[in-house]
Amino acid sequence: VCHPSAGLLVQELATAGLRVAVWLADECHRLGDVVAVMESASPVTRLGFTGTPFRSVAHERLEAWDVVAVRYGLADALADGVIVPPRFVFPEDDSDHIDHTIAVARDAVGPGVVSAVDIEDAEWVAEELRKAGVRCEAVHSRLTAEENRARLGRLERGELKCLTNVGLLVEG
């Protein structure tokens, strides 16, 4: 059963005399208050998924999960060729930053993602890359989910060389 409210689901199951056999949770590092609800349900088995690296944020924790069964870290993904090593730019000024970003984007073998400091920066970098002939668009929280999905789809299909973002692509 998939339910929009974990607490309500547990109450409904208890009222019906049923209990939770398996509790599946996506983005399990971010469950927060849901952990207490899950524990009150006393599931026979708990299975949580997350693709987000541990960031030492107090409300993001894995201690509610008994054992980490599979850990696939950034080093594993790099070794398998799933991701490429990040390139960090420490510009003297904006012109150095964008010149280097354009050069990296032009020389990249496959698609890429450029992280920006804010939405305006993401839009500006995408525009500068387009002016330089690099097919690029920004994804961010001011766009609709449909717009962001369409842009991600264009990157996946090879219609874009890169996307710029402000943390939108680092989780989930």
Side-chain angles (χ1 to χ4, degrees):
V1 174
C2 184
H3 202 281
S5 168
L8 187 56
L9 172 62
V10 170
Q11 289 175 358
E12 289 173 4
L13 290 172
T15 300
L18 301 172
R19 66 181 286 230
V20 177
V22 178
W23 187 286
L24 298 173
D26 189 22
E27 298 295 343
C28 67
H29 66 286
R30 298 187 76 184
L31 289 181
D33 295 339
V34 175
V35 171
V37 174
M38 177 183 68
E39 289 172 350
S40 75
S42 302
V44 175
T45 302
R46 309 187 263 205
L47 185 58
F49 301 92
T50 183
T52 302
F54 181 69
R55 298 182 301 205
S56 298
V57 177
H59 67 277
E60 295 185 352
R61 61 191 200 280
L62 295 175
E63 65 233 14
W65 308 95
D66 299 327
V67 176
V68 175
V70 176
R71 186 176 301 269
Y72 187 80
L74 294 176
D76 301 312
L78 280 167
D80 291 345
V82 173
I83 60 173
V84 296
R87 296 183 190 183
F88 297 96
V89 177
F90 300 100
E92 294 295 320
D93 59 39
D94 282 344
S95 64
D96 287 345
H97 167 215
I98 198 61
D99 291 344
H100 182 78
T101 302
I102 289 168
V104 169
R106 281 185 176 154
D107 294 342
V109 175
V113 174
V114 177
S115 296
V117 295
D118 57 32
I119 291 174
E120 288 73 24
D121 188 47
E123 289 286 356
W124 177 77
V125 171
E127 178 64 25
E128 293 299 312
L129 286 166
R130 284 192 299 273
K131 287 179 190 174
V134 178
R135 296 177 324 275
C136 183
E137 293 181 347
V139 292
H140 51 72
S141 61
R142 290 187 192 154
L143 299 172
T144 66
E146 294 78 26
E147 288 173 304
N148 282 324
R149 275 194 295 275
R151 291 174 182 202
L152 285 165
R154 287 192 285 278
L155 181 72
E156 290 172 356
R157 291 187 302 275
E159 297 167 17
L160 295 176
K161 179 90 176 209
C162 71
L163 290 173
T164 61
N165 85 107
V166 188
L168 191 68
L169 300 176
V170 297
E171 191 172 310

